[in-house]
Amino acid sequence: MLTSANIPDNHPRAKSLLERERLVEGFRKGLVVPEGLIAYGRGEAFDYIIGGRTEGFAQKAIRAAAAALLMAKKPVISVNGNVAALLPEKVVELAKTVGAAIEVNLFYRTAERESAIAEVLKESGAAEVLGVGKNASARIPELMSERRKVDPRGILVADVVFVPLEDGDRTEALRKMGKTVIALDLNPMSRTSIAASITIVDNVVRAIPLLVEEAKKLRHSGNLRNIVDFDNEKNLQEAMIHVARRLENV
Amino acid sequence: MLTSANIPDNHPRAKSLLERERLVEGFRKGLVVPEGLIAYGRGEAFDYIIGGRTEGFAQKAIRAAAAALLMAKKPVISVNGNVAALLPEKVVELAKTVGAAIEVNLFYRTAERESAIAEVLKESGAAEVLGVGKNASARIPELMSERRKVDPRGILVADVVFVPLEDGDRTEALRKMGKTVIALDLNPMSRTSIAASITIVDNVVRAIPLLVEEAKKLRHSGNLRNIVDFDNEKNLQEAMIHVARRLENV
């Protein structure tokens, strides 16, 4: 079986291999689909290229995201299988810190997965999880995938939506609905990254805990509006330059 | 379920999503492990960065690899779960064209996977598959993972080993044993890429069919020795420059 016992201690990627086990465990519990494992692998590659650290451009975006979530009237955190498998406690902590609702939203939606994900979030302290079963009764216009199914009390009426590990289609559709979209994507060139209002180019495992810390720091700040004033295009360019430099100097 | 029926036709990544299904199907059949899906995702990211095409540096390496396999006394093609799931027929065709043995070699080795992979290869026309069960009785020195288990009639005594989708450890260990190692890796900066004798920086799905074609063309050539004379370091630098430029110009 695929436990840490099989990974030789002297393997240079031992840490990364151990980290993956959480996701594979989430897969065994029915939270994660095979496509989610593939998507995680894509993220690993981009994280490797970025350098495996939270860079300045990510820190700036995290600060703007924390302020946007704190200022929002109806903020919602959209959770998929990978996020639920990797760090459910931090998602719940973020929701509590900024006063956001949590909603399940899946590209490959089944009743079993929805329930498994909602259960993990509740075990991690969530009082309520939106978007499960019949509650995902509203539809996002112009979106064809299962991602279009949303909760009329959640994403449908949200002013700010945080979408870690997202696909580009939905980000674009949510933006067309006039919402502020905060994306978390390791690829600064993805459609998601380009379409979002605030894009955090970082690993979800590093960025969400930092977002919680930043929200706690800013919670009582009187200056949120200035912090939210954020040039996403300029910040993404910084991320792209960083990536190009990393590759030149390897 | 995760069939093409779920993927909207207008999804911009429909082609890539459909290609993935072959791997997910291999996963359902027990050929591929969850970690193999993650590894495939890493490959997708690098393929996206490379541009999704076989570039000149890859074509040069494919030509050198074809010549090296044709000149070898005992060439062996090492097959893992992902390769068996993605293109078993092409692996068998390559083996027949260059007169190579086929050997199963797995990082996560179980008797069931070995047998499932050997069976797929035999269904695809392989007369014999080495490295299964008790036949993987020899050990590669200095290697701690399950990858060290090899067939005494195959990789142990091979002069040229083709290792598509490999980890760096084994490439280094095989090189220390004095073998010519041909790697296929989308990351030109990986340890595998750097340690190999000939590194093909390309997608396995594009490169193996091209390798078959090249081997057929060169089969009766009298000039193989000159073609094998190949500067891997220089070729990898070309690949890295290509990747850096791609990122600068996005």
Side-chain angles (χ1 to χ4, degrees), chain A residues 2 8 10-13 20 24 27-28 34-35 37-38 40-42 44-46 48-49 107-108 144-145 169 187 189 191 243-244 247-248 250, chain B residues 2 8 10-13 20 24 27-28 34-35 37-38 40-42 44-46 48-49 107-108 144-145 169 187 189 191 243-244 247-248 250:
Chain A
L2 312 173
N10 68 351
H11 194 286
R13 287 208 323 256
R20 257 175 239 165
V24 173
F27 173 72
R28 298 231 157 78
E35 286 76 2
L37 298 176
I38 294 175
Y40 178 80
R42 284 199 303 278
E44 281 191 346
F46 280 107
Y48 164 84
I49 290 169
F107 192 89
Y108 298 104
M144 300 296 287
S145 80
D169 283 342
N187 175 5
M189 297 152 287
R191 284 193 309 129
V243 168
L247 285 162
E248 274 173 349
V250 166
Chain B
L2 313 172
N10 69 351
H11 194 285
R13 284 208 326 255
R20 255 175 242 166
V24 173
F27 173 72
R28 298 231 157 78
E35 286 76 1
L37 298 176
I38 295 174
Y40 178 81
R42 284 198 304 278
E44 281 191 346
F46 280 108
Y48 164 85
I49 290 169
F107 192 89
Y108 299 103
M144 300 298 284
S145 79
D169 283 342
N187 176 4
M189 298 152 286
R191 285 193 310 128
V243 168
L247 286 162
E248 274 174 349
V250 166

Side-chain angles (χ1 to χ4, degrees), chain A residues 146-158:
Chain A
E146 290 290 291
R147 286 276 209 191
R148 74 185 181 280
K149 296 183 179 170
V150 294
D151 197 309
R153 298 165 300 158
I155 290 171
L156 189 75
V157 294

